[in-house]
């Protein structure tokens, strides 16, 4: 009890510390000062009156949402004395693995620089700046020659790293037992089993109404949909993040999704946010970075060729180029096992005082990175808003899909969860695929790394991401990946090669995610 | 039995006819010897082609054919003929019991092109059961000048009979004037509202040829002088069939009416819609399919699926200045380096509808789609009394609709031979399903009861009056809560959606899936 209390006060202290530097804090202070002029604020009950004023004027709700948002993003400190790197990643071998992976990425990036003799960054000549400014809204029409560029890495390179991950303190042993993990991931991490998942995803149960199931044309809207939409409007009217997050576990109505997600992510497009975005845009226009070419290349290779997202090509550049310049993204490295790569001013290699993060946001895009943004273009049309939403989604969720960590939403845990689910609940299928050299993870890894973006139909993907936001967890990705295998199990049992298995699972655009998830978790005997 | 009799190389054709028709009539009993005997007989003795008919009838009497009059009930196979389009051929050839007729063969069903129709329709005798894919004077609706003329007349008639309000429901086409006969009216209108942009298009233009925008009268006068001398526009070779046109500009449709028929002056001047709705900065138009089975009474079906075609270039009005700007979108795109014909710049209507709902809410979208229904109905009504009614004819129209920023739909044109060539897998599925469903409704096999309100992806939209989506008799007078039986863009991928369940294709039902899950699941039941 005492422990809990001290934990709580620690959390409070941390959040207060965090919020003190925020814009909201300044606004609240201003509002408090301004409220002194009001007749209902009395000197004798000053504190209470101001509290009351905050409540009535909606500022209290804003503060609540901000606190809630902090709670969602920041991991709770395990011990007041824990060093900051424990916040990043408590396990030493994970930290080491991430470190050497970063070195490899950097090496690859550097060698590309040398090979092509392109600087990491350069100032654009004025003429070029003007040109870029003029075509800001149609950057997709630009056709730079990118044939020499190659993505720094692709998901399959990353998978190889994860496969080789070992815990030095853990004896794997040679003798097979029923506990032996037969999958590719060989690190011991705690992952949920179906009973725990059932408990965790309780709102996805058979007795709860779901968008993605109960709004199909066969179901009259009076049964669920109409009421659900009505509640959604109420949640939005209340402007309560926590309520929105709970609500969205049952799925968001199409028309309300943009606002609900913004509420959950605590994004409100203030004038200063728009200004901030404009500043980033200016940075893009003034400086040319090597990563820009990587972004271009990635968009051309992925989103522009996508049947759904090709329309949004221009938006993707507008978001991703600005993202690479945004130093506020660096903040998330406090709780990300990854660390931003450093570059040194020419001739000062190794001198810490001449080190800069490169790219400025510390994130090196890889093959498929732009697919994190693409589905959001379906919801947001204002570039600055789209940008904010993406940035928040990245620092809350997406970074975990390409950093090595032991976090339950981290990609290692997701892989392990996926393999464990298959090995435990579909052992015949798992064994069969393993025997023919088609380890299931080799197929499902790319789905999870991209959070299924580009694999599912847009409506289905958004329903899936609703649940990511609703549960503040990426574990649903592993569950869905396992459910897809289960769904196509009959066909998979007949294949005899990895290529054939890949063919069976090549097209996921016809799948309906919610029924799949629901049946996998709830409608089977366990 | 009808023969196309004017072929110069008839003996070879005759052989083909006999081979095909005997196979058709006798259910495949015909032998080669029979063929060759007959062939020698005819080629030796007959001079006049029409005698062949007699001869064949004689053959029928000998027991190879089916007695006349009972054909509809007893026909073992349906002989079809078609223009060589891959999608169409695939569908027709895979239809059980349908046999293809080559060259001059005798047919029950002919998916002809409009040029054949023009040359042969009047000389062709068709039996009761025979069906053909166009109405004789389809161009009343499918040529821009006639369509506008008919709509204007219909509007006047409505105004007389039902008042201004009713007539205003026909205001869904941009102000259009036929050139040169309405030149003076056009000039009057032009002067009334200076500064707006006009577009000139050939009445039966195709692929954007001969189209240009202008803002000054001088431009059009210069142009008239220019074309009068050169007569270039109409002598350019036309592709036999319009191919998929991904430009999305509303300026590049094909009506498939061959050009040689139209004198060079036949242009329409149309008010250019300057505020098109843009997605990702791109202009698009919608392609919607409407199947008319009869004009008297009007019986029309609306297909649930269709697509939005996006322009690859970004929309801007700034390039239209003093001189002509030829909107050769297709040409521009084909030379642009990122032009991938296979990429297909299309969104299925369902995705488009979903996008709009997320942006504007369901009510606004409902209104937009019912405004589109209105366009289909009114445009068909406008030619109802003009089109030569013929029970042998049906027609699958491709409507091109542009939407402006106020979410008002505009009718651009109606195509008699919408492109059935597929640009992608998704497109192929849409088009094969569309054709299959069309054939179901044409119902050569006599399987329908005639009371169906939905067949495949088609919904009966008009049956001599509005059709209610509710069960029971259509109630045109019930103004209260009449819900039209149209579901445009309601479920995407019509073909795939047939199996309702976890997946839209492969017909995986929940029960089936559960079974296979249990199969592999070998955990002890709790």
């Amino acid at each position: 009890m005492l422990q809990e209390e001290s934990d709580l006060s620690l959390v409070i202290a941390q959040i207060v510390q965090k919020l003190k530097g925020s814009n909201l804090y300044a606004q609240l202070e201003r509002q408090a000062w301004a409220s002194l002029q009001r007749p209902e604020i009395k000197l004798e009950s000053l504190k209470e009156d101001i509290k009351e004023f905050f409540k009535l004027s909606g500022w209290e709700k804003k503060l609540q949402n901000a606190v809630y948002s902090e709670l969602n993003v920041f991991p709770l400190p395990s011990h007041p004395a824990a060093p900051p790197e424990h916040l990043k990643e408590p396990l030493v071998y994970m930290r080491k693995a991430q470190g050497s992976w970063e070195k490899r990425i950097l090496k690859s990036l550097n060698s590309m620089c040398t090979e092509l003799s392109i600087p990491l960054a350069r100032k654009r000549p004025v003429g070029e700046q003007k040109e870029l400014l003029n075509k800001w809204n149609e950057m997709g029409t630009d056709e730079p020659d990118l044939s020499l560029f190659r993505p720094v890495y692709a998901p399959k390179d990353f998978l190889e790293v994860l496969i080789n991950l070992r815990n030095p303190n853990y004896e794997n042993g040679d003798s097979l037992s029923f506990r032996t993990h037969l999958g590719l991931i060989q690190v011991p991490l705690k992952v949920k089993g179906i009973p725990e998942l059932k408990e965790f995803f309780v709102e996805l149960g058979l007795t709860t109404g779901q968008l993605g199931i109960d709004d199909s044309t066969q179901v009259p809207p009076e049964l669920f949909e109409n009421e659900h939409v009505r509640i959604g409007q109420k949640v939005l009217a209340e402007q309560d993040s926590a309520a929105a997050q709970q609500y969205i576990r049952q799925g968001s109505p199409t028309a309300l999704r943009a606002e609900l997600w913004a509420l959950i992510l605590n994004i409100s497009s203030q004038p200063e946010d728009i200004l901030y975005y404009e500043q980033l845009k200016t940075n893009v226009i003034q400086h040319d970075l090597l990563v820009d070419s990587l972004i271009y290349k990635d968009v051309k290779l992925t989103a522009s060729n996508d049947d759904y997202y090709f329309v949004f090509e221009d938006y993707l550049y507008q978001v991703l180029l600005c993202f690479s310049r945004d130093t506020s993204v660096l903040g998330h490295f406090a709780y990300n096992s990854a660390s931003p790569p450093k570059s040194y001013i020419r001739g000062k290699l190794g001198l810490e005082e001449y080190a800069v993060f490169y790219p400025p946001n510390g994130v090196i895009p890889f093959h498929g990175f732009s697919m994190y943004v693409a589905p959001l273009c379906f919801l947001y049309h204002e570039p600055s808003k789209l940008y904010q939403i993406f940035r928040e989604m990245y620092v809350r969720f997406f970074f975990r899909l390409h950093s090595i960590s032991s976090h339950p939403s981290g990609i290692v845990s997701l892989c392990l969860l996926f393999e464990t689910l298959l090995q435990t609940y579909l052992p015949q299928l798992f064994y069969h695929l393993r025997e023919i050299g088609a380890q299931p993870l080799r197929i499902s890894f790319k789905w999870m790394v991209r959070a299924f973006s580009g694999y599912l139909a847009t409506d289905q993907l958004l329903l899936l991401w609703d649940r990511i936001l609703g549960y503040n967890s990426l574990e649903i990705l592993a569950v869905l990946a396992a459910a897809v295998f289960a769904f196509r199990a009959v066909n998979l049992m007949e294949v005899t090669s990895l290529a054939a298995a890949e063919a069976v699972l090549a097209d996921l655009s016809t799948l309906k995610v919610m029924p799949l998830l629901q049946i996998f978790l709830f409608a089977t005997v366990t | 039995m009808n023969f196309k009799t004017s072929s110069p190389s008839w003996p070879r054709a005759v052989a083909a006819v006999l081979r095909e028709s005997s196979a058709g009539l006798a259910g495949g009993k015909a032998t080669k010897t029979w063929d060759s005997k007959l062939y020698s007989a005819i080629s030796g003795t007959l001079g006049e082609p029409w005698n062949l008919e007699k001869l064949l009838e004689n053959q029928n009497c000998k027991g190879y054919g089916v007695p006349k009059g009972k054909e509809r009930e007893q026909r073992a196979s349906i002989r079809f003929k078609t223009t060589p389009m891959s999608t169409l051929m695939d569908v027709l050839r895979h239809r059980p019991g349908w046999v293809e007729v080559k060259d001059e063969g005798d047919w029950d069903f002919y998916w002809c092109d409009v040029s054949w129709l023009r040359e042969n329709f009047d000389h062709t005798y068709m039996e009761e059961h025979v069906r053909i894919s166009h109405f004789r004077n389809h161009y009343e609706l499918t040529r821009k000048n006639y369509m506008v003329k008919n709509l204007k007349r219909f509007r006047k008639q409505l105004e007389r009979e039902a008042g201004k309000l009713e007539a205003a429901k026909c205001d869904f086409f941009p102000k259009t004037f036929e050139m040169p006969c309405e030149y003076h009216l056009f000039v009057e209108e032009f002067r009334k509202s200076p500064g707006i942009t006009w577009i000139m298009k050939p009445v039966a233009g195709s692929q954007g040829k001969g189209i240009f925008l202008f803002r000054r009268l001088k431009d059009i006068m210069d142009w008239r002088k220019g074309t009068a001398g050169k007569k270039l526009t109409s002598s350019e070779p036309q592709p036999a069939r319009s191919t998929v046109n991904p430009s999305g500009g509303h300026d590049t449709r094909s009506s498939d009416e061959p050009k040689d028929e139209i004198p060079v002056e036949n242009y329409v001047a149309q008010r250019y819609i300057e505020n098109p709705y843009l997605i990702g900065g791109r202009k698009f138009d919608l392609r919607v399919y409407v199947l008319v089975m009869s004009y008297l009474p009007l019986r029309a079906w609306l297909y649930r699926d269709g697509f939005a075609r996006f322009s690859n270039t970004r929309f801007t009005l700034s390039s239209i200045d003093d001189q002509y700007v030829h909107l050769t979108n297709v040409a521009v795109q084909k030379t642009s380096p990122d032009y991938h014909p296979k990429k297909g710049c299309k969104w299925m209507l369902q995705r488009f509808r979903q996008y709009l709902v997320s942006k504007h809410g369901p009510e606004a979208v409902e209104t937009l789609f019912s405004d589109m229904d209105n366009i289909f109905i009114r445009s068909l009504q406008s030619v109802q009394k003009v089109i030569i009614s013929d029970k042998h004819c049906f027609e699958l129209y491709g409507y091109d609709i542009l939407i402006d920023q106020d979410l008002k739909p505009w009718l651009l044109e109606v195509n008699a031979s919408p492109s059935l060539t597929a640009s992608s897998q998704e497109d192929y599925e849409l088009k094969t399903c569309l054709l299959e469903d069309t054939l179901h409704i044409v119902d050569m096999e006599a399987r329908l009861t005639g009371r169906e309100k939905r067949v495949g992806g088609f919904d009966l939209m008009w049956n001599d009056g509005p059709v209610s989506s509710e069960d029971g008799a259509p109630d045109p007078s019930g103004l209260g809560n009449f819900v039209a039986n149209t579901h445009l863009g309601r479920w995407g991928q019509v073909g795939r959606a047939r199996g309702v369940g976890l997946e839209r294709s492969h017909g995986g039902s929940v029960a089936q899936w559960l079974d296979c899950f249990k199969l592999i699941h070998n955990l002890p039941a709790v």
Side-chain angles (χ1 to χ4, degrees), chain A residues 16-223:
Chain A
V16 168
Q17 184 65 30
K18 241 337 245 163
L19 289 181
K20 260 193 177 165
S22 73
N23 199 13
L24 180 68
Y25 185 82
Q27 281 175 323
L28 284 172
E29 205 173 0
R30 254 202 314 279
Q31 289 296 325
W33 279 110
S35 73
L36 295 179
Q37 312 292 332
R38 304 173 76 92
E40 68 266 27
I41 309 279
K42 306 272 192 307
L43 192 59
E44 52 271 26
S45 54
L46 186 64
K47 200 170 171 185
E48 291 312 307
D49 286 353
I50 290 181
K51 271 191 191 164
E52 188 61 22
F53 164 72
F54 276 161
K55 196 173 201 160
L56 293 174
S57 55
W59 284 98
E60 193 193 59
K61 200 50 108 354
K62 285 195 175 117
L63 180 61
Q64 258 178 29
N65 288 346
V67 170
Y68 194 69
S69 169
E70 290 299 328
L71 282 174
N72 263 326
V73 177
F74 270 89
L76 301 177
S78 48
H79 191 274
E85 66 258 34
H86 279 212
L87 201 62
K88 284 170 86 71
E89 168 53 51
L91 296 174
V92 182
Y93 74 94
M94 289 274 184
R95 285 207 300 271
K96 272 193 182 152
Q98 173 64 32
S100 56
W101 170 235
E102 280 163 20
K103 275 198 195 103
R104 268 183 64 189
I105 297 174
L106 216 58
K107 210 171 146 191
S108 152
L109 195 65
N110 277 328
S111 69
M112 187 156 51
C113 263
T114 332
E115 229 172 86
L116 305 175
S117 54
I118 295 170
L120 284 173
R122 69 176 177 100
K123 201 172 165 80
R124 289 180 211 274
V126 180
E128 199 184 309
Q129 289 189 21
K130 267 196 189 137
E131 201 189 314
L132 183 58
L133 190 61
N134 282 334
K135 60 168 196 220
W136 182 257
N137 289 320
E138 44 181 85
M139 283 187 271
T141 56
D142 205 20
E143 286 296 327
D145 177 23
L146 298 169
S147 50
L148 293 172
F149 287 90
R150 48 176 198 271
V152 178
Y153 67 96
K156 64 175 191 305
D157 307 318
F158 187 46
L159 176 61
E160 292 308 318
V161 176
L162 300 191
I163 290 172
N164 291 317
L165 211 56
R166 293 288 180 280
N167 181 356
N169 302 321
Y170 184 76
E171 173 57 54
N172 274 345
D174 292 328
S175 61
L176 282 173
S177 77
F178 75 100
R179 260 184 237 267
T180 309
H181 190 71
L182 298 173
L184 294 171
I185 301 296
Q186 290 296 335
V187 288
L189 291 174
K190 169 117 187 65
V191 292
K192 296 186 175 83
I194 284 194
E196 287 158 287
L197 289 168
K198 267 182 173 172
E199 210 173 302
F200 185 67
F201 293 114
V202 67
E203 291 87 353
L204 304 186
L206 297 169
T207 51
T208 316
Q210 292 295 324
L211 288 185
I213 299 174
D214 300 298
D215 53 337
S216 77
T217 37
Q218 287 80 33
V219 182
E222 301 83 49
L223 283 182

Side-chain angles (χ1 to χ4, degrees), chain A residues 308 314 487-488 510 519 526, chain B residues 314 351 502-503 513 526:
Chain A
Y308 304 165
D314 297 337
F487 181 52
R488 300 233 170 121
T510 54
I519 290 178
T526 48
Chain B
R314 311 305 186 262
R351 192 168 310 136
L502 301 156
E503 191 155 22
W513 191 72
V526 178

Side-chain angles (χ1 to χ4, degrees), chain A residues 253-269:
Chain A
T254 309
L256 308 181
R257 184 172 281 123
E259 280 186 78
L260 282 168
W261 285 20
L263 181 56
I264 293 169
L265 297 169
N266 201 27
I267 299 293
S268 55
S269 255

Side-chain angles (χ1 to χ4, degrees), chain A residues 304-365:
Chain A
S304 305
N305 275 320
D306 188 281
D307 284 346
Y308 304 165
Y309 303 125
F310 68 91
V311 192
F312 302 122
E313 188 181 348
D314 297 337
Y315 286 155
L316 296 180
Y317 300 124
Q318 289 171 24
V319 168
L320 287 168
L321 294 180
C322 289
F323 182 67
S324 68
R325 269 75 169 176
D326 190 348
T327 50
S328 76
V329 178
L330 293 170
H332 92 285
F333 288 107
Y335 53 91
N336 180 355
S337 66
S339 299
K342 277 181 200 156
S343 163
Y344 297 89
I345 305 227
R346 206 175 296 242
K348 309 282 183 188
L349 190 72
L351 299 172
E352 280 306 308
E353 58 267 41
Y354 294 101
V356 286
F357 292 122
Y358 184 89
N361 70 343
V363 181
I364 293 175

Side-chain angles (χ1 to χ4, degrees), chain B residues 464-502:
Chain B
D464 205 16
V467 179
S468 162
S469 68
E470 301 296 313
D471 288 334
D475 175 24
S477 59
L479 297 162
N481 44 9
F482 178 81
V483 183
N485 186 38
T486 52
H487 304 274
L488 189 58
R490 279 269 171 66
W491 35 275
Q493 291 121 345
V494 170
R496 297 169 174 196
R498 295 212 165 119
V500 176
L502 301 156

